Amino acid sequence: MCSGLNIIMYGSPLAAMKTVVRTKSVEYMPFFLSFFLFLNGGIWAFYALLMHDYFLGVPNGIGCLLGTAQLLLYAIYKNAKPSNNTSLQGLMEQKEPLVSQC
């Protein structure tokens, strides 16, 4: 169960990756989050390789691969000009406050 939750944790930025591809801008994907997810997955996968622990190695190896994909995507779209996607801008603008003021 923990291995499955670990993979879900590493896969959570996939939604941000979809937004990056759609808008051609890395504005919605923080670099340091991607970098440290890659680093964390890589270090734990290396440790699991040394200890021959598959339950630790498989989810963290997948996390390292997903982190690599995020860093590659960041490198590709780092200097790209963002597209004028008004549907995404409409979603990001908040029309009403979440908490009413008393």
Side-chain angles (χ1 to χ4, degrees), residues 60-97:
N60 286 297
I62 291 171
C64 185
L65 290 175
L66 289 173
T68 303
Q70 290 175 32
L71 291 176
L72 287 173
L73 197 63
Y74 195 90
I76 291 169
Y77 290 114
K78 179 175 63 170
N79 294 325
K81 300 209 187 270
S83 65
N84 293 332
N85 192 349
T86 57
S87 63
L88 185 63
Q89 290 174 353
L91 288 174
M92 299 306 286
E93 293 176 2
Q94 187 176 356
K95 304 292 182 194
E96 299 176 10

Side-chain angles (χ1 to χ4, degrees), residues 10-77:
Y10 283 121
S12 62
L14 290 175
M17 290 175 69
K18 179 182 175 184
T19 305
V20 168
V21 171
R22 188 174 3 158
T23 62
K24 297 181 179 17
S25 170
V26 293
E27 180 181 4
Y28 302 107
M29 188 173 71
F31 172 75
F32 286 114
L33 176 64
S34 301
F35 177 70
F36 284 113
L37 279 174
F38 162 76
L39 197 62
N40 185 44
I43 289 172
W44 279 108
F46 180 71
Y47 175 76
L49 184 68
L50 293 176
M51 296 292 130
H52 304 288
D53 187 351
Y54 296 114
F55 291 106
L56 190 61
V58 170
N60 286 297
I62 291 171
C64 185
L65 290 175
L66 289 173
T68 303
Q70 290 175 32
L71 291 176
L72 287 173
L73 197 63
Y74 195 90
I76 291 169
Y77 290 114

Side-chain angles (χ1 to χ4, degrees), residues 1-8 55:
M1 184 171 167
C2 291
S3 295
L5 291 173
N6 197 5
I7 292 171
I8 290 170
F55 291 106

